[in-house]
Amino acid sequence: EEGFSLVKFLTLKEAIKLVKDNSLVGIGGISLSRRPMSLVREIIRQGKKNLTILSFIGGLPEDMLIASDCVKKVRSSYIGFEIFGFAPNFKRYVEEGKVEVIEESEYSIIAGLEACIRDLPFMHTKALLGSDILKVRKDLKIFKCPITNETLVAIPPIKPDIALIHAQKADKNGNILIEGTLGIDIELAKAADLTIVSVEEIVSKEYFIKNIEKTKILREFIDVVVEAPKGALPTSCYPIYKWNLEEIIEYIELCEENKIKDYLDKHVYNRAW
């Protein structure tokens, strides 16, 4: 029944107050698509510190958090701007030793989250054998399969304290409707202790029933929903809007000129969403 839900509907400020310093924060979306930018901007405004950020394929939100001195560690297979080049602050902070990188592949992230979801001590793979990741990740263990005697790699669980996700719609019970690429959003929501989802629109139960095939995350995995129209900008949110090319280029150019403060003043501190 509508209204029978433990999901809380909060403002941006109320939701991000739940994010504690030193947390492991999973950031949903992928690359420049459907990133939770409103939630990330509010983290910066509230001055959260010493976060470890986890992302499948990262870019703008991760780079902004790093530039705002919110981050101490990064776990990702890639942080960059695709055709626009490197993520300038991520590159600089890592080179200067200000941010620690925990090397990941796409599969190691998925496997770590799956191990958490399934309450297993590890997930196994052959994929990392022969890679340099094994040289820098002492928590990844090589072992012999007791059944086949094959050599495998054990990947330990990854349990985010917080998952931040942006989606197209939520119904009034907190079920989340997503269109387009999913990245690892479903896994993040299931694995995290606390899942916060910003959405373009909150819709009725009737809309939810008519579009049941688009429901990707059920309310049982959601803790907080924030209504935040255009909350992924300047990244895209298919099919509602494309990325804001001008703002992305502005960000990169200001960072390269060491003027990140100008960008943050204009697009974070003087922006309500």
Side-chain angles (χ1 to χ4, degrees), residues 98-133:
K98 295 179 179 179
V99 165
E100 178 185 345
V101 175
I102 300 174
E103 296 288 351
E104 299 278 7
S105 70
E106 292 180 10
Y107 181 73
S108 68
I109 294 172
I110 294 171
L113 292 171
E114 285 289 350
C116 175
I117 293 165
R118 298 168 188 261
D119 195 24
L120 295 173
F122 64 88
M123 292 289 284
H124 66 275
T125 184
K126 298 179 183 178
L128 298 178
L129 291 172
S131 76
D132 286 342
I133 288 181

Side-chain angles (χ1 to χ4, degrees), residues 133-168:
I133 288 181
L134 294 174
K135 297 178 182 178
V136 295
R137 286 283 303 275
K138 302 305 180 184
D139 59 328
L140 303 179
K141 304 298 183 182
I142 297 174
F143 71 103
K144 291 287 186 180
C145 174
I147 296 174
T148 67
N149 205 39
E150 291 179 287
T151 301
L152 300 171
V153 179
I155 300 175
I158 302 173
K159 185 165 187 58
D161 298 302
I162 308 284
L164 302 179
I165 296 168
H166 185 77
Q168 286 85 359

Side-chain angles (χ1 to χ4, degrees), residues 3 13 33 39 43 157:
K13 288 184 179 180
S33 174
L39 297 172
I43 284 179

Side-chain angles (χ1 to χ4, degrees), residues 225-245:
V225 170
V226 177
E227 189 169 24
K230 298 184 178 179
L233 281 173
T235 69
S236 65
C237 187
Y238 171 88
I240 303 169
Y241 49 83
K242 298 178 181 179
W243 58 21
N244 184 330
L245 182 60

Side-chain angles (χ1 to χ4, degrees), residues 168-181:
Q168 286 85 359
K169 293 177 174 63
D171 75 359
K172 293 182 178 180
N173 283 327
N175 298 296
I176 303 301
L177 289 74
I178 302 177
E179 297 184 70
T181 182

Side-chain angles (χ1 to χ4, degrees), residues 12 37-47 60-61 64-65 67-68 70 233-234 247 251 260-273:
L12 272 175
M37 296 306 302
S38 284
L39 297 172
V40 165
R41 284 189 285 267
E42 187 59 29
I43 284 179
I44 295 170
R45 286 192 288 264
Q46 292 190 21
L60 181 59
M64 283 175 56
L65 288 168
S68 303
C70 298
L233 281 173
E247 185 178 333
Y251 175 84
I260 181 62
K261 185 178 183 299
D262 292 349
Y263 178 88
L264 296 175
D265 285 344
K266 177 180 177 181
H267 293 287
V268 177
Y269 296 111
N270 290 315
R271 192 174 191 165
W273 51 277

